[in-house]
Amino acid sequence: MTDKTIDLFASEDSLPDPGERIEELRTMIQKHDKAYYTNAQPLIADREYDKLFAELVELEKANPDLIRSDSPTQKVGGAPIKGFRTIQHKIPMLSLSNTYSREELTDFDRKVREGLLKSYASEKAAYKYVTELKYDGVAMSLRYKNGQLDLALTRGDGTSGDDVTQNIKTLKNIPNTVNKIELMAVPLANIEVRGEVYMDDSEFLRINKLKEDSGEKLYANPRNLTAGTLKLLDPKQVEKRRLKMVSYWLHSDDHDLSSHQENLELLKKLGLPVGEHISLCADIEEVFQFIDKSGDRRGGLDFGIDGVVIKVDSTEQQQELGFVSRSPRWAIAYKFEAEQARTKLNNIILQVGRTGAITPVAELEPVFLAGSTISRATLHNADYIKEIDVRIGDTVYIEKGGDVIPKVTGHVPEERPADSVEFQMPEFCPCELKSPLIRPEGEANHYCDHPECKSQIKRRIEHFISRNAMNIAGGVKFTEQFTDWGYLNSVADIFDLKKKSHEIMKLEGWGKRSLEVLFSSIEDCKTLPFAKVLYAIGIRFVGSGASKVLANHFKTIEALKSATKEQLTEVSDIGDKIAESLINFFADEKEMKILDRLIAAELNFEQATPEESGEEQTLAGKTFVLTGELQSMKRNAAKDKIEKLGGKVTSAVSKKTSYLVAGNNPGSKYDKALKLAVEILDEEGLIALLE
Ligand code: IVH
C-alpha cells in the first residue's frame, strides 16, 4: 500500500486498538447515514452498510465502556432534511434490527419465546407472527385528526421528522379523510398510521426514460427517487411522480388495539392501503416458507422489496417484549441478498476513462433488474474478468449494489458454449487512433496514454464541466457535439469557444439562449477557487479531497509544480501514488501547454488566502447563510465573494448567523431567521455589502 490510507488488513501485531476502530466505524457510518437519509444518495450498498454497523455493534458489545450516547448504535435513524418544518414524533419512529441469516432468525425466535415465557405462564406464552414484504422506500408517519389527514412526517432522526404533509396529500392512494369506523361506539378517527412511501418500477422507468431522452443523468433507483421526490418543495411536481404508500402500523389515541393482524384489517376498513402477500405464521418454519415464497415472487413484483418483516402479532406481547435501543424485540427484518439477474453476455467492449483508464464493459441481452432494464454492466478490469472467469457467449449473473452501475458477478458453467474462448484484453485503444494500451506495474488497469485520444478528451471534458468541478452548463450534449464537431480537443478549448460564437450559433441545437447560458457558466469558472480548478484538470488520482489539501498546502500552481516527491508526500493524505502522478503530469509537455492556456484564461491558480488575496477583510467574523435563488450570480459565486472578504458561509441558520441572504423562494431558513431575529439581506443588500 503506497498511499497513507489505514490498512484494514494489518497483521496481528499491528491490530488497531478497538477504540480507534470504533471511532473509525462511527465516522464512516455517520457519513453513510448522511448520504442515505439526508442526501438520498447512498455511497455503498445496504449490505456493506449493515456489515459496518454490525461490526460496530459487536465491538461496542465487547467494549461497553467505549459506548457513547452519540454513537450511531444509540440513535434511531438519519438526520432530518433541511427546508421543511421539523416536528417531533409522538412516539419515536424506530427501525428494525435486520439479518441476512436464517440462523439469526431462529435465534430471534428463541429470544421471543424465552422473553414471553418470562412474563407469562406457558399456555399464554403461545405466539404467532405476521409476516410482510419489506417495501424498499421511505418510512412515513401520518396523523389523522377527527378522520382528517393532519400531518405527514418523515422519520428524520426517529425523534423528529420533516413535515411533508403537502407532498403526501398528492398521493392518490392516501385518503384525506378516512372511512368512519367505530370500536365500542367510539370513532376510530384520531390515529397515527405508519408505512412506506415507494415508487413502482414501471413509474421509475417512465421517469428515467424522460431523463434519458433529454440527455440528463439517470436516477439510481426507485428508492432514491422517492426520497428525492418527497424533498421537492413544489407539491405539483410531486404529484407528477405518482408515488404510492403502503401502511403497516396503526396507533389509536382512543383505543387499545389488540393485534397486528387486526390492525391491518382496520387500516383496510379505514381506506388505507396495506401490503400484498401478508401471512399469519404459527411458527418459525412457516416464516421460512414465507421468506422462500417472497424471494420467488420478488422478480415479478412492480415494486422493490429488500426483504421481509416478521412481527409478533399480539400487541400485548409486543409491549411485554419491549425494545432494545433502536429497535423492537418483537420484530425483525430478514433482508435478501442483492438482487441478481441472469442474462447472456453478448460482447465485451472497452470504455475509455478521462485518465485513459480502460474499463471492460459487458454488453448484455437486456434484462430487467431492481427497477431498470440493464444492457451493460461493468467488468472492472482484465484481472476481474479472469477472476470471475467469464467469456463472451456465457450466461452471466449481474447484480446491482448501492450504485446505478450494475456489475457482472459470475457465470453459469453448464451454459457455457463449447466453442467459447477466454477473453483477451485487446492491445489497442478502441478510439480512432488505435494507440497501444499499457498496464503500469502494480496496477490493475490498462491505460491508453495517447493525448489526442478522442474518447479520453470527451471524458476529461465531461469531468472538467461536471457539477463538482467547473459546473459548466451543457452536459453530455455539449461534450459529445462540440468534440465531434472539432471545437474541443482539450479542456482549454472551452475558453476559446466564445471567439467562435457566430459560427457556433448556426449549429443545430444551439440557439442564442442556450449559448448565453453556456458562455455565462464558462465565465463563472473564473470565480471558482484554486482547489476546484485543480480537481477539474483531472490529474490521475487527484480527487476533490486531495485537490483541497494540495491547494491549501502549496497555495500556487508554481509551488505545486516545483515540489519534489518528498515535499509532496510530506503533506498529509498525499501518498506515493498521487505524488508520482503529479510529477508525471507536470513533466508532460502537452499537459503543460493546456495548463498554460488555462492560466491565460484567468482561472484561479492561486489559493486566495486572506493575506494573499489583497482584499480588505471587511466581512471578517461575519457568518452568512444563503437561501433561495439569486438573480445576478450563482450561490457558489456569492459564497466565494463573501469568503474572499473574510466572511464565512454556513448552511444552517442559528443565533450566531450574522446575515441571511434571501433570494427568490427562500423556504424555511427565512422563517427561522425571522424567528431568531437574524438580519435578512436581499440580493441588493448583499451586493452593497460586497462592494
Ligand atoms: S415495521 C417498529 N413493516 O423498513 C416497526 N417496516 O428498518 C417499524 N419497512 O423503518 C417498521 N416495509 O421504513 C415495517 N412491512 C414493513 C416494512 C417496513 C418496509 C421499512 C420501514 C422501517 C424499515 C426497517
Side-chain angles (χ1 to χ4, degrees):
M1 207 166 281
T2 46
D3 263 353
K4 283 183 199 159
T5 45
I6 297 163
D7 186 355
L8 300 180
F9 307 100
S11 61
E12 285 277 317
D13 53 13
S14 63
L15 268 182
D17 84 81
E20 258 178 45
R21 181 65 184 153
I22 284 177
E23 264 319 302
E24 196 184 13
L25 286 165
R26 283 177 187 160
T27 313
M28 285 196 275
I29 290 168
Q30 276 155 358
K31 183 175 98 183
H32 292 304
D33 278 347
K34 185 158 179 279
Y36 185 93
Y37 291 108
T38 310
N39 305 334
Q41 291 282 348
L43 305 169
I44 52 172
D46 281 6
R47 179 78 207 246
E48 301 306 316
Y49 176 89
D50 293 340
K51 269 191 204 152
L52 294 177
F53 204 95
E55 189 187 343
L56 180 59
V57 170
E58 279 309 306
L59 274 176
E60 286 185 347
K61 219 193 256 168
N63 303 279
D65 49 320
L66 296 178
I67 299 179
R68 279 202 329 246
S69 61
D70 64 346
S71 171
T73 55
Q74 310 300 305
K75 286 220 201 85
V76 182
I81 48 179
K82 303 279 183 296
F84 290 93
R85 207 159 54 120
T86 303
I87 293 178
Q88 198 151 13
H89 290 295
K90 272 198 200 159
I91 306 167
M93 264 183 105
L94 304 174
S95 64
L96 298 173
S97 53
N98 59 51
T99 177
Y100 291 85
S101 104
R102 296 198 180 209
E103 289 78 63
E104 281 181 20
L105 215 50
T106 311
D107 221 36
F108 160 80
D109 179 49
R110 184 181 50 77
K111 283 187 195 146
V112 166
R113 189 168 44 251
E114 288 171 3
L116 291 176
L117 278 171
K118 260 190 231 153
S119 317
Y120 299 106
S122 58
E123 68 278 13
K124 238 192 124 192
Y127 55 96
K128 287 195 185 99
Y129 292 115
V130 174
T131 47
E132 295 165 14
L133 302 180
K134 186 171 183 307
Y135 284 70
D136 195 8
V138 175
M140 188 62 55
S141 151
L142 309 179
R143 282 193 222 160
Y144 285 85
K145 216 186 206 167
N146 294 324
Q148 299 291 326
L149 177 57
D150 184 49
L151 189 64
L153 292 182
T154 62
R155 180 163 64 188
D157 65 2
T159 313
S160 41
D162 292 300
D163 174 359
V164 289
T165 316
Q166 296 315 316
N167 287 348
I168 288 299
K169 282 192 172 164
T170 69
L171 267 61
K172 296 275 180 298
N173 75 341
I174 293 300
N176 270 337
T177 313
V178 288
N179 297 331
K180 287 202 174 70
I181 305 181
E182 288 188 352
L183 294 180
M184 321 280 276
V186 179
L188 183 63
N190 296 306
I191 51 170
E192 182 179 345
V193 175
R194 290 184 182 171
E196 201 81 354
V197 178
Y198 66 97
M199 183 182 281
D200 278 341
D201 290 341
S202 47
E203 174 65 1
F204 174 74
L205 287 180
R206 182 187 71 83
I207 295 171
N208 251 354
K209 178 83 180 49
L210 295 176
K211 281 244 146 194
E212 194 180 357
D213 291 347
S214 54
E216 289 173 79
K217 202 170 161 230
L218 302 187
Y219 295 110
N221 54 51
R223 201 206 71 82
N224 278 8
L225 182 52
T226 303
T229 303
L230 287 171
K231 275 169 117 188
L232 293 175
L233 294 168
D234 180 2
K236 281 200 206 81
Q237 298 304 321
V238 179
E239 191 170 11
K240 285 188 191 155
R241 303 252 179 103
R242 302 177 206 165
L243 295 176
K244 287 185 174 171
M245 180 167 160
V246 58
S247 46
Y248 49 63
W249 187 86
L250 174 66
H251 170 85
S252 160
D253 291 348
D254 314 304
H255 302 274
D256 284 331
L257 302 170
S258 67
S259 82
H260 184 60
Q261 204 194 18
E262 267 177 43
N263 289 355
L264 294 171
E265 287 304 322
L266 288 172
L267 284 166
K268 267 194 233 171
K269 285 189 187 143
L270 287 163
L272 284 149
V274 298
E276 288 175 30
H277 310 301
I278 294 169
S279 177
L280 187 67
C281 298
D283 55 32
I284 199 73
E285 279 314 313
E286 287 188 20
V287 169
F288 286 138
Q289 285 163 20
F290 180 83
I291 290 173
D292 291 339
K293 234 190 246 164
S294 305
D296 294 343
R297 283 193 179 119
R298 192 181 183 193
L301 302 170
D302 191 25
F303 50 86
I305 59 169
D306 57 346
V308 303
V309 180
I310 299 121
K311 300 170 187 173
V312 169
D313 184 40
S314 144
T315 317
E316 189 193 321
Q317 290 180 339
Q318 288 181 0
Q319 277 158 7
E320 210 46 55
L321 287 162
F323 296 84
V324 263
S325 67
R326 73 197 304 253
S327 33
R329 283 204 191 86
W330 47 266
I332 193 166
Y334 177 88
K335 300 238 296 197
F336 295 137
E337 295 291 343
E339 212 173 338
Q340 272 193 343
R342 271 165 66 151
T343 189
K344 200 174 152 223
L345 174 59
N346 288 333
N347 198 7
I348 298 177
I349 56 156
L350 301 187
Q351 210 168 56
V352 190
R354 73 182 156 85
T355 57
I358 305 288
T359 308
V361 173
E363 288 193 329
L364 305 162
E365 202 54 44
V367 60
F368 190 79
L369 172 66
S372 51
T373 304
I374 313 289
S375 49
R376 283 182 167 206
T378 183
L379 282 160
H380 300 296
N381 53 49
D383 286 352
Y384 182 74
I385 298 179
K386 211 174 221 137
E387 186 191 316
I388 61 168
D389 181 26
V390 290
R391 299 178 179 186
I392 294 170
D394 272 351
T395 298
V396 292
Y397 292 107
I398 54 170
E399 260 180 34
K400 261 191 184 176
D403 201 5
V404 70
I405 306 169
K407 60 180 180 182
V408 178
T409 54
H411 75 279
V412 185
E414 307 81 58
E415 295 189 19
R416 169 163 283 174
D419 57 351
S420 74
V421 288
E422 215 176 291
F423 175 74
Q424 290 298 329
M425 193 70 180
E427 286 175 44
F428 302 100
C429 178
C431 85
E432 56 218 49
L433 297 172
K434 308 246 170 305
S435 58
L437 298 181
I438 49 166
R439 180 174 176 175
E441 228 184 83
E443 275 197 42
N445 284 331
H446 284 75
Y447 288 90
C448 160
D449 70 349
H450 200 299
E452 280 154 36
C453 164
K454 264 238 161 94
S455 316
Q456 227 177 106
I457 291 169
K458 283 183 182 171
R459 300 293 89 75
R460 283 187 70 166
I461 292 169
E462 246 166 45
H463 171 75
F464 188 84
I465 68 172
S466 64
R467 199 196 268 251
N468 289 332
M470 295 284 97
N471 197 15
I472 294 175
V476 180
K477 180 180 152 200
F478 166 72
T479 311
E480 288 290 324
Q481 294 187 337
F482 279 71
T483 315
D484 287 343
W485 291 333
Y487 288 105
L488 299 180
N489 290 306
S490 79
V491 293
D493 290 342
I494 294 174
F495 299 93
D496 290 339
L497 284 178
K498 205 162 184 187
K499 289 183 209 148
K500 299 176 186 154
S501 48
H502 283 298
E503 207 177 304
I504 291 173
M505 207 93 82
K506 292 181 204 133
L507 299 171
E508 195 158 332
W510 290 90
K512 194 164 173 288
R513 267 203 61 72
S514 52
L515 284 175
E516 260 168 29
V517 174
L518 175 70
F519 288 133
S520 122
S521 66
I522 292 176
E523 194 58 29
D524 283 349
C525 294
K526 296 180 187 170
T527 62
L528 298 176
F530 180 29
K532 286 227 167 185
V533 179
L534 196 55
Y535 169 63
I537 297 172
I539 304 168
R540 197 176 285 178
F541 306 127
V542 181
S544 62
S547 302
K548 277 188 199 140
V549 170
L550 291 165
N552 269 334
H553 186 91
F554 290 99
K555 310 277 191 248
T556 68
I557 193 79
E558 287 310 321
L560 179 61
K561 206 169 164 179
S562 53
T564 61
K565 187 172 166 190
E566 288 65 39
Q567 286 166 333
L568 287 165
T569 48
E570 265 166 27
V571 183
S572 73
D573 290 342
I574 304 298
D576 289 348
K577 226 159 88 171
I578 297 181
E580 275 161 24
S581 167
L582 282 160
I583 289 183
N584 289 341
F585 176 78
F586 289 118
D588 186 324
E589 265 178 47
K590 288 211 174 74
E591 296 289 9
M592 289 310 96
K593 275 195 188 135
I594 297 174
L595 188 65
D596 287 342
R597 288 177 60 203
L598 292 177
I599 295 171
E602 294 176 18
L603 296 188
N604 276 321
F605 281 98
E606 281 187 17
Q607 174 92 323
T609 56
E611 317 84 67
E612 283 170 356
S613 69
E615 303 273 5
E616 221 182 309
Q617 300 293 289
T618 47
L619 301 182
K622 302 274 187 239
T623 321
F624 291 73
V625 173
L626 308 177
T627 182
E629 294 155 32
L630 301 177
Q631 297 301 304
S632 62
M633 59 186 132
K634 284 196 182 155
R635 271 213 235 162
N636 269 349
K639 182 170 183 268
D640 286 344
K641 285 180 185 159
I642 292 169
E643 285 172 350
K644 259 194 192 139
L645 298 174
K648 214 169 116 190
V649 178
T650 62
S651 57
V653 179
S654 76
K655 272 191 263 169
K656 290 188 190 140
T657 310
S658 321
Y659 300 102
L660 177 92
V661 179
N664 287 344
N665 306 321
S668 70
K669 288 184 189 167
Y670 189 87
D671 300 335
K672 188 146 185 213
L674 278 179
K675 213 155 103 193
L676 298 175
V678 168
E679 189 169 337
I680 298 176
L681 292 178
D682 58 11
E683 193 164 345
E684 275 173 32
L686 172 69
I687 293 170
L689 206 61
L690 293 173
E691 281 170 359

